Amino acid sequence: QVQLVESGGGLVQAGGSLRLSCVASGRTFTRYAMGWFRQAPGNEREFVAAISWNGNTYYRDSVKGRFTISRDNAENTLYLQMNSLKPEDTAVYYCATGWKSYSTSAADFGIWGQGTQVTVSS
């Protein structure tokens, strides 16, 4: 069974940092893109960051320079380092993967974790 399990969310003050982790199991993910998406109450799920099979990274404009996505293929683990957090970063963050080597579109990510809550207080 293919599974993604996120951890690392929590409550942090504005300007603080959090590191999200996503452990993947059930198949080899090294050939496929992995990504982070988020959803705030009342909003649609939105792209945050993605990393291709060969390590190229992509970010939404609002997190560029603050967030860093990385992957450890040996450990089948995806990370999102979030610095200089803002209240508008508050959301449930989801890890995702699929069957493409590169993508930033949620439609291309068919495997999702359960999500981890990130709350940034002002």
Side-chain angles (χ1 to χ4, degrees), residues 15-83:
S17 298
L18 285 173
R19 188 193 196 201
L20 305 184
S21 299
C22 171
V23 179
S25 62
R27 73 162 195 184
T28 300
F29 293 88
T30 55
R31 297 182 180 180
Y32 306 104
M34 298 190 76
W36 289 98
F37 294 78
R38 67 187 181 188
Q39 188 168 18
N43 292 354
E44 294 185 354
R45 189 170 298 189
E46 63 182 21
F47 166 75
V48 175
I51 185 166
S52 68
W53 71 278
N54 61 350
N56 292 327
T57 57
Y58 310 88
Y59 300 93
R60 70 180 296 108
D61 287 344
S62 63
V63 308
K64 285 179 181 177
R66 301 189 297 122
F67 291 11
T68 302
I69 188 171
S70 61
R71 63 192 298 170
D72 183 338
N73 286 336
E75 298 293 331
N76 255 4
T77 302
L78 179 71
Y79 301 99
L80 185 68
Q81 177 66 44
M82 305 186 295
N83 299 327

Side-chain angles (χ1 to χ4, degrees), residues 99-118:
W99 294 269
K100 291 196 173 184
S101 59
Y102 152 76
S103 181
T104 61
S105 172
D108 292 328
F109 290 83
I111 303 172
W112 295 82
Q114 82 288 351
T116 185
Q117 176 71 46
V118 171

